Amino acid sequence: MKLNYRIVVLALAVVFGVFFSMPSLMQMESGKKVTLGLDLQGGLHMLLGVKTEEATKSRVKSIAASIKHFSERKDILVDSLTFNETSITFALLDSDDIPQMQEFFKEIEGINLLVQGESFTLSLTPEEIIRTEKEAISQAIETIRNRLDQFGLAEPVVARQGEEKILVQLAGIKTQEEEQRARELISRAAKLELMAIDEDRIGRVYTMSDADASEYGDVILEDAKNPAIKYLVREIPILDGGMLTDASMGFNQNNQPQINFTLNAEGAEIFGDFTGRSVGKRLAVVLDGKVYSAPNINERIGGGSGQISGNYTVMEAKDLAIALRSGALLAPIYLMEKRSVGPSLGADSIRASMIALVGGFILVIIFMVVYYRMAGVIANIALIANLFIILAVMSLFGATLTLPGMAGIVLTVGMAVDANVIISERIRELIYEGKSMHKAIEDGYANAMRAILDANITTLIAAVVLYAYGTGAIKGFAITISIGILASMLTAILGTHGIYQMLEEKIAKSKNNHFWFGIKG
């Protein structure tokens, strides 16, 4: 027997497979492990809807805030700036400012602009409304995915379902507290706004209705800690969370949790300009329609940073920081359907899948040994190595194993054996023809190679397409198939070839083709 590079590669692959699959097989505390999917370990399945009409209103409100900031920065006097769900109206006090304002609107896409003298009416185009609503759904998917990734859940499934629905699957959610925390993190709007308090009329806030406030361009908001406390603030915010670049949990001087946030360059400029001309007045820090603080402005505040203080626990502050970092939802979401998958159902699924996998594996091993004798044993060695490599690669990348993924492993076992069957049959045919053992082995692999490569490459292409266009469970199936195909090409083609080369002289000297290849006669 003599070593060759193929045997060395196979040995290294086996060592790699065993080493990196042990944490998953033995459920060790240390080391990277395969994560079980929702259908195997239980968790939460939700179908969410998006109130897309609110995204249009937010878009209009954002444009109104931009108009307000632009006019203040350019010293343009604007009168009666109001907006509703689809349009904005205002008037200029100086007609000389009309060209400058019209130039500003050229930078805003998707709007219809009507100018009558000094009066401006702006509305979103039908195309822009459709685009905004679609963007709200896409942004909700991305935002929810970002939040759940930072939440610490492994491989959460967040995908569009139909036109306006979002599918969310969270594996490993086992308690009511975990479920509630995840749902609050997903559904939280996390809409941060810095709003000016109407100092002239705030004394009347407790006697005003929402309609009265609206006449002055104001809105009445509650205090986050005490709903009995009311604030009268300007409806058009100074700036919003869209200008937020970072948010993190910190502690104030009383060692209470707070949220520290940082604004981008534009937000810092707007914030600095506003505080510079509003010394002695108050600024409301508003989150999801609640006033968290309303500090006095003692001087111009530069640097573009601030804090949100509230009666938080450390966990609540962390989750709020995650929500702010991942971005505000353009439109509110609501729960349409919820299902909890219990761990016991997951355990039953694992048991049934393992029975199928182990049962199929044992039957394949027995068939190969009975039909091909020692060639079957060699094929089985490659097959076992193949399973270890699949599990090791999935563990190394922290992949999620689902029921379809386990089906993919079972299918991979069959494909790996198929390659060895083709090779063994080619070798047997050449031995029947009277070829030398060396010639039979080398030509057998050469003749089998094309059929094996064709089958594996076409399957691999199909798996890549499934991964690219599939969702959750389909992706899991595609991943295990892809890893299995690549591993089987290493073990079934390269590895077994090396074993035959190492045993070639011994096989030739024994002249016992029945023992080695199951050839009768």
Side-chain angles (χ1 to χ4, degrees), residues 278-337:
S278 304
V279 173
K281 298 180 180 180
R282 286 188 296 169
L283 171 72
V285 179
V286 181
L287 183 64
D288 294 341
K290 304 284 186 182
V291 177
Y292 277 73
S293 61
N296 286 308
I297 301 171
N298 298 319
E299 60 182 354
R300 185 183 189 278
I301 303 173
S305 61
Q307 296 81 37
I308 306 172
S309 57
N311 190 22
Y312 306 117
T313 65
V314 171
M315 191 65 71
E316 287 170 344
K318 285 182 178 178
D319 287 350
L320 179 54
I322 289 172
L324 288 170
R325 274 200 307 273
S326 60
L329 293 170
L330 294 178
I333 62 173
Y334 59 96
L335 184 66
M336 300 180 68
E337 177 188 331

Side-chain angles (χ1 to χ4, degrees), residues 357 360-369 371-372 375-387 390 408-426 445 448 452 455-456 484-485 487-489 491-493 496 500:
L357 179 58
F361 185 69
I362 290 173
L363 289 174
V364 167
I365 284 178
I366 292 172
F367 169 79
M368 292 300 290
V369 172
Y371 194 78
Y372 291 107
V377 173
I378 293 171
N380 290 335
I381 292 171
L383 189 59
I384 294 170
N386 191 50
L387 289 176
I390 293 172
I409 294 176
V410 175
L411 182 57
T412 298
V413 169
M415 293 187 65
V417 169
D418 182 59
N420 282 288
V421 167
I422 294 173
I423 292 168
S424 297
E425 287 297 332
R426 294 293 181 268
Y445 273 89
I452 295 171
N456 285 341
I485 288 170
S488 69
M489 292 176 74
T491 57
I493 298 174
T496 57
Y500 281 126

Side-chain angles (χ1 to χ4, degrees), residues 121-132:
T121 301
L122 178 149
S123 61
L124 299 180
T125 64
E127 294 78 14
E128 180 66 10
I129 292 174
I130 294 171
R131 189 199 65 79
T132 302

